[in-house]
Each structure stands twice: as structure tokens, then as C-alpha cells.
Amino acid sequence: MDSTDHVTVDWDAARDTNRANWDDRVPIHEGAYDVAALDDPEHRSDVVRDDLPALGPWLPSGTLEGLDVCHLQCHIGTDTVSLAREGARLTGVDFSAPALASAAALAERLGLDVTWVETDVLDARAAVTGDFDVVYTSIGTICWLDDLDRWAAQVAGLLRPGGVFFIRDGHPALYALDEDAPELVTRHRYFPDGTAQQWEDAGTYVGEGTVANTRTYEWPHPLSEVVNALLGAGLRLRRLDEGRTLPWRFSPRMEEDGHGSWVWPAADRDRMPTTFTIVATRD
């Protein structure tokens, strides 16, 4: 995996480059994600299984039953259909047409009625019809976005008054690490400067196979930037947590925890967070 830092790139060009890469990931992830397990009506994706206990206390009845939920950057829909199985009315949003086609086929096979919207997440408010009780995003999402103020404005615009926003994502301190180092060593920027990190990688974070479009662009976003973007959009911060597990193997040094997640070796587990979770509401 090769990277070049401080790359100046136009957002439209970067988004289109990233979309080509994510289009290529779809058949790989269809094989790597545990899609067949969803044939069991009681099954939920590992991501949703972990997120629901953190989200539940902020919902009117403690559950998603009967609520309108918008899932941003939904990819192939395994988390989206898992949320729908909690009794919510789901709208899934993504910029990849092949990913949404895969998601739609999955929902149809499972007998779930989900609305799918193809759009850049930074244009989500204009593209999506209606407003929502919950806007949800998780996990590995906002590093692909250059403008968190614009992103937070979409979130706030999609929420109805009293609505809840939930995000769990990779911790920016984690993303600053050298994933291949034999110990915790910082390699990448933590703070933004308006430029992107350019990556060349034929693989993806999970599954066998390679992509034809190997280039991607990412942007570092410190925790303060995420919080301030949401506050600036008029949302009220309700809770901020930091976690010790990940649903993918960030580093070869990580170990399986026996519950579908990955953790640092015991000696490092309390030294470096892996995720952050934010709950915010619209007044």
C-alpha cells in the first residue's frame, strides 16, 4: 500500500476516483461480508449488533420500531437491512450504483422494503425525499469526505425536530498510525490542512481479490473537527464515546476478540482507541 500526503485534488475528481474504487469493491465484499447469515431473520450485521445498544437509549421507545431512518454511505446494504429488521422504515444512501444494486437485490431477497438513493453524501439533503427520526452512519465513512461542515449540514437537514444522529467511525488517532509497524508509531497526519492523502492499493480492507481502480483519496479529520462540524450545523451533542474494538483488521498486530471484532494486543489495548461514537440531536 503506497501513500502520498499533501495532495491537492478537486473534490469532484477525488469523489469520482473514489467511486470507481468502491464500484470495484462490490463483488469482493459480496463474497467477504457474511451476507448468507442474513437469511436468518434474527441475524443482524456485526456493526449494527454493536451500534444498537449505544443508539437505543436515545430513541423515544428505546428501539427503532416504527421510525424513519436514513443510512448514509450504506454500501451493499448489510447494515441497512439489519436496521430495517428492527422495525424501522429505511432509506439507504450511497454514491456507488453497483453497491446500491447489490443492496437492493439483498433487500428484495430478504423481503424487506427499503428505499435506495444514489447520490454524493455531500448532496444528500437535495437528493433524499422527506425527513427522518434517525440519521445513521457507521463505519469507515467520513475519511472519504473533504468538507465536514457540508457533511454536517446534510445530516442536520435530513433530521426532523427531535431527531437523532448516530455515528461510529474509526478513531482519527488510529488512522494516524503506521498499521504495519511492530508497535504503536504515528506515521500519518492527525490534523487537516485542506489537502488529501492519496493511496494506491489493489486490495480492500476485507476479502480476497483486487480492484482495477487502485487510487483513492482520504482526508484526516481530528475528533475536534467532527464535533465542531456537528455543533456548527446546529445539532446538540448528547454523548461521545471512544472504543477498543474494530469490525475490520486495521493492523496485522490486531487479534480477533471472539465476537466478530478486532482488538489490539493486550499490552496496547488501553493505549490507543480504535473508534469514536457520537450521538447528537436536532432541537
Side-chain angles (χ1 to χ4, degrees), residues 27-48:
I28 299 172
H29 291 177
E30 286 175 330
Y33 285 31
D34 195 7
V35 175
L38 288 163
D39 290 340
D40 176 1
E42 299 303 313
H43 182 78
R44 307 293 184 266
S45 69
D46 291 340
V47 170
V48 168

Side-chain angles (χ1 to χ4, degrees), residues 112-137:
L112 296 170
D113 184 13
V114 178
T115 299
W116 306 102
V117 179
E118 181 186 341
T119 185
D120 180 344
V121 70
L122 298 185
D123 297 321
R125 177 59 284 180
V128 176
T129 300
D131 52 16
F132 297 87
D133 301 296
V134 177
V135 174
Y136 170 92
T137 184

Side-chain angles (χ1 to χ4, degrees), residues 51-268:
D51 286 346
L52 284 175
L55 175 59
W58 304 99
L59 302 176
S61 66
T63 74
L64 291 172
E65 183 72 38
L67 299 184
D68 295 307
V69 178
C70 183
H71 180 190
L72 299 179
Q73 295 171 270
C74 66
H75 193 37
I76 62 171
T78 52
D79 299 332
T80 320
V81 299
S82 295
L83 294 169
R85 279 183 164 166
E86 294 297 307
R89 293 177 292 272
L90 260 292
T91 296
V93 175
D94 202 84
F95 70 163
S96 167
L100 289 176
S102 178
L106 174 63
E108 182 177 8
R109 179 166 66 82
L110 299 178
L112 296 170
D113 184 13
V114 178
T115 299
W116 306 102
V117 179
E118 181 186 341
T119 185
D120 180 344
V121 70
L122 298 185
D123 297 321
R125 177 59 284 180
V128 176
T129 300
D131 52 16
F132 297 87
D133 301 296
V134 177
V135 174
Y136 170 92
T137 184
S138 181
I139 185 172
T141 54
I142 60 174
C143 64
W144 303 101
L145 309 178
D146 72 334
D147 186 344
L148 289 197
D149 289 335
R150 182 175 166 188
W151 163 78
Q154 309 309 303
V155 171
L158 288 165
L159 283 171
R160 57 183 54 138
V164 177
F165 173 62
F166 178 94
I167 181 173
R168 178 166 63 108
D169 212 333
H171 201 289
L174 177 82
Y175 290 155
L177 295 176
D178 182 343
E179 61 268 40
D180 295 318
E183 56 188 8
L184 298 179
V185 177
T186 300
R187 174 183 174 190
H188 306 291
R189 277 186 293 141
Y190 182 84
F191 292 105
D193 65 2
T195 65
Q197 299 164 325
Q198 178 181 298
W199 298 85
E200 298 285 350
D201 186 5
T204 87
Y205 55 88
V206 66
E208 302 296 328
T210 58
V211 297
N213 294 282
T214 60
R215 178 167 295 179
T216 57
Y217 295 98
E218 298 182 31
W219 288 263
H221 298 298
L223 204 52
S224 57
E225 183 187 5
V226 182
V227 170
N228 287 331
L230 294 169
L231 293 175
L235 298 183
R236 180 179 297 191
L237 188 70
R238 296 295 190 173
R239 189 165 181 89
L240 168 63
D241 290 300
E242 295 167 287
R244 293 176 173 84
T245 68
L246 270 181
W248 82 94
R249 194 178 193 180
F250 169 81
S251 166
R253 296 180 59 237
M254 284 187 147
E255 306 167 349
E256 290 189 79
D257 71 348
H259 302 285
S261 297
W262 297 86
V263 295
W264 289 113
D268 289 336

